[in-house]
Amino acid sequence: MNKNIFIKTFGCQMNVYDSDKMLEILSKSGYSSIDNPSDADLVILNTCHIREKAGEKVYSDLGRLRKIKAKKKSAGEKMSIVVAGCVAQAEGDEILKRAPFVDIVVGPQTYHKIPDLLKKVDEFDKAEIDISFPLEEKFNLIPQDNLNKKQLSSFLTVQEGCDKFCTFCVVPYTRGSEYSRSVEEIVAEAKVLVSSGVKEITLLGQNVNAYHGQANNGKEVGLDYVINRIAEIENLDRIRFTTSHPRDMKKNLIDLFGYQKKLMPLIHLPVQSGSDKILKDMNRGHNIEDYKKIIDSLKVVRPEISFSSDFIVGYPGETENDFQSTINLVEEVKFSQSFSFIFSPRPGTPASLRNNQISDEIKKNRLYELQKILNRERTRFNVSFVGKKLNILLEKVSSSGDEFIGKSEYLQPVKIKCSKSLIGQTFNVFVESVESNCLKARSIN
Ligand code: SAM
Ligand code: SF4
Ligand code: F3S
């Protein structure tokens, strides 16, 4: 019987990958994806716990779902609700206490069990919860046949979990300890993606450059090896990886940017703060000099490379001087794009217990100040392409319908008038202007 599923994804790219996999798993039980929870037989909220706001959004969505579920029930219809992801992992049965109408709670390592848990809910008429970290790896149990993908760009998780325990972060608790998939498993999944039309693969991991998986010969290898293996796949044009930790930025991976032409010239390398004192307190395991050395060595092997980062403002004990060091770093490195956040004290993390928390007003002012400079840098970066050639992957028709949208090597959206037959191809264009964060270009020839 055909049934409808609505999946809402919060948080990072790893959750996007997991949601795709949940859909693949449930497609095998007859579910098709829809865009509206009102018509759904099954709703999954794939949640994020990283900041307080992310967690709270889940409960406001659950409030709306409760009403839809009740309305359906009075019409004699059924709707099951699953809370998956990192809030599920962190809060477990708390969710069932706050929202007793939820049917299933599963963590990021147990979502492959949803079909069995749905059967149990039906059989025993009570909610099911599984937030274990099972010994059998979920990657051996989730489908790899890419049933639902029709896109040109795809994520591929190669590493999961984190052993770094930065003092502000919940990820080591919600995703568990570091695990790397084997090279063969990754290459096999990449081949399936490319055979279904994918041209660009982004390898994912909470610490993707800490990857240390097994090659065919049983030897442990790094991310550079995986990228070179994937690059051998014909018809795959572009490779990216995210998120990297400065501590794991080893020489082999830096060198790879110098010779692996399928690897895009943009690296997301979160630094969080420009102050050595704050980095030390965060337990990041590197200082600003180390960070700048990495940036310089990457520029040596790939002069056109650009950098993006994550920043936290208002970390406990951050003084005006510490904040100014962050601004100085931003002005020096000239990031092409970045994500910046107000420090959010998360339950169970060491930083949430510090007695030198910063006031909300100071945090907001610092975020405003930092974002002003980051936006200026992004505009400066975009404008630097006007009058130059840029390589794009043409992805889709624009919302207005009279233009097409491509993606540059630096992840900038590029609007262009060209033939529809070029969708899915990579080619050079000539940049004519910049419109907010989008480049406008024309075909060359
Ligand atoms: N593993 C990555 C790294 O080490 O850079 C980051 C992963 S985390 C999912 C993404 C970003 O969320 C972090 O880089 C950090 O900037 C931000 N973040 C994490 N915990 C936070 C907190 N408690 N408050 C504010 N931002 C936070
Ligand atoms: Fe969180 Fe730090 Fe691990 Fe990144 S490295 S996921 S910020 S604990
Ligand atoms: Fe959020 Fe979990 Fe990703 S906390 S950022 S969904 S790893």
Side-chain angles (χ1 to χ4, degrees):
M1 194 188 58
N2 203 22
K3 289 170 279 183
N4 291 331
I5 180 169
F6 171 79
I7 305 183
K8 181 162 176 183
T9 309
F10 301 82
C12 63
Q13 295 104 324
M14 310 231 16
N15 261 14
V16 175
Y17 175 88
D18 287 342
S19 291
D20 277 352
K21 289 295 171 194
M22 288 184 215
L23 183 56
E24 278 179 51
I25 292 165
L26 286 150
S27 299
K28 294 188 190 297
S29 313
Y31 283 93
S32 314
S33 171
I34 54 164
D35 296 335
N36 183 350
S38 310
D39 300 322
D41 302 288
L42 175 61
V43 173
I44 301 181
L45 300 182
N46 193 12
T47 61
C48 173
H49 194 56
I50 203 84
R51 284 168 289 276
E52 192 182 353
K53 258 195 197 151
E56 280 311 310
K57 273 189 210 152
V58 175
Y59 288 102
S60 48
D61 272 27
L62 281 174
R64 282 190 284 275
L65 290 174
R66 181 177 61 82
K67 289 186 191 141
I68 300 176
K69 185 169 176 163
K71 202 169 153 196
K72 286 193 132 207
K73 195 173 174 194
S74 55
E77 292 169 23
K78 201 176 140 197
M79 183 174 97
S80 305
I81 301 176
V82 177
V83 179
C86 291
V87 174
Q89 190 66 44
E91 296 191 1
D93 53 9
E94 261 314 298
I95 294 179
L96 295 178
K97 284 186 196 140
R98 268 181 83 173
F101 50 90
V102 166
D103 298 281
I104 293 173
V105 176
V106 278
Q109 308 305 334
T110 47
Y111 62 74
H112 54 281
K113 298 185 184 175
I114 293 174
D116 286 344
L117 293 170
L118 281 168
K119 281 186 201 141
K120 274 193 176 171
V121 170
D122 271 352
E123 196 178 335
F124 302 112
D125 195 26
K126 71 172 192 48
E128 287 290 332
I129 169 163
D130 190 340
I131 51 168
S132 57
F133 287 102
L135 285 178
E136 84 268 24
E137 292 303 338
K138 86 173 171 204
F139 292 109
N140 296 331
L141 299 167
I142 57 180
Q144 309 293 341
D145 44 12
N146 194 34
L147 281 177
N148 305 295
K149 295 239 173 64
K150 297 234 168 0
Q151 71 262 52
L152 296 165
S153 291
S154 181
F155 295 130
L156 199 175
T157 296
V158 300
Q159 180 277 339
E160 181 144 12
C162 179
D163 298 334
K164 300 232 165 21
F165 291 93
C166 300
T167 52
F168 52 83
C169 183
V170 293
V171 171
Y173 313 100
T174 62
R175 292 270 171 173
S177 55
E178 257 178 32
Y179 167 75
S180 297
R181 298 175 73 187
S182 76
V183 176
E184 286 325 299
E185 228 179 284
I186 297 165
V187 172
E189 190 167 337
K191 283 183 177 165
V192 171
L193 291 173
V194 176
S195 67
S196 72
V198 167
K199 299 284 183 188
E200 176 181 82
I201 291 182
T202 303
L203 304 177
L204 295 182
Q206 264 92 20
N207 283 279
V208 73
N209 57 342
Y211 175 89
H212 53 94
Q214 254 193 6
N216 236 354
N217 58 9
K219 270 197 182 155
E220 202 176 271
V221 291
L223 188 66
D224 53 309
Y225 183 91
V226 178
I227 292 172
N228 280 332
R229 284 292 309 279
I230 287 179
E232 287 166 10
I233 303 173
E234 222 182 306
N235 294 329
L236 176 65
D237 295 338
R238 294 174 158 195
I239 303 172
R240 306 176 186 277
F241 59 90
T242 197
T243 294
S244 297
H245 194 294
R247 251 160 86 178
D248 295 314
M249 210 56 218
K250 301 280 160 20
K251 186 174 181 315
N252 283 358
L253 193 56
I254 293 178
D255 289 346
L256 189 70
F257 278 93
Y259 67 88
Q260 181 45 265
K261 296 301 169 213
K262 287 192 181 182
L263 187 57
M264 293 295 98
L266 166 67
I267 179 164
H268 185 59
L269 197 60
V271 64
Q272 314 298 352
S273 166
S275 152
D276 283 344
K277 179 194 98 188
I278 297 291
L279 289 181
K280 189 158 191 280
D281 199 84
M282 285 176 164
N283 190 31
R284 290 291 287 178
H286 67 87
N287 60 26
I288 289 303
E289 199 189 327
D290 301 330
Y291 187 80
K292 285 193 206 161
K293 273 189 191 149
I294 298 169
I295 298 277
D296 288 344
S297 358
L298 283 161
K299 280 186 188 161
V300 169
V301 296
R302 192 91 174 251
E304 74 276 25
I305 197 164
S306 86
F307 303 94
S308 74
S309 182
D310 292 345
F311 295 93
I312 294 180
V313 298
Y315 180 84
E318 185 188 66
T319 60
E320 260 318 305
N321 264 345
D322 295 321
F323 177 63
Q324 194 51 50
S325 306
T326 301
I327 299 288
N328 295 346
L329 181 74
V330 169
E331 295 196 316
E332 194 177 331
V333 176
K334 304 197 181 310
F335 297 94
S336 60
Q337 52 174 296
S338 286
F339 303 92
S340 42
F341 311 101
I342 280 179
F343 168 73
S344 170
R346 305 306 288 133
T349 60
S352 69
L353 303 172
R354 302 272 201 266
N355 57 11
N356 48 358
Q357 303 288 331
I358 305 294
S359 77
D360 284 350
E361 196 192 341
I362 293 181
K363 283 182 185 171
K364 276 188 201 148
N365 289 343
R366 288 184 184 165
L367 185 69
Y368 175 78
E369 184 72 17
L370 176 62
Q371 290 188 337
K372 210 169 60 184
I373 297 169
L374 291 171
N375 287 339
R376 187 191 71 201
E377 287 306 317
R378 181 166 62 175
T379 305
R380 185 198 55 77
F381 181 74
N382 286 343
V383 168
S384 74
F385 289 96
V386 175
K388 293 191 184 141
K389 271 197 312 196
L390 193 59
N391 188 268
I392 65 163
L393 166 61
L394 197 70
E395 289 191 319
K396 57 184 179 196
V397 185
S398 70
S399 48
S400 61
D402 58 348
E403 281 174 312
F404 292 89
I405 313 264
K407 189 169 28 169
S408 78
E409 296 187 329
Y410 301 100
L411 290 178
Q412 299 143 303
V414 180
K415 273 192 189 167
I416 182 164
K417 285 194 163 58
C418 62
S419 156
K420 192 181 176 190
S421 63
L422 291 174
I423 287 185
Q425 296 197 24
T426 49
F427 53 94
N428 284 337
V429 297
F430 184 81
V431 180
E432 292 187 311
S433 60
V434 177
E435 246 179 31
S436 59
N437 289 318
C438 181
L439 306 184
K440 290 203 87 171
R442 66 172 160 78
S443 305
I444 300 176
N445 60 40

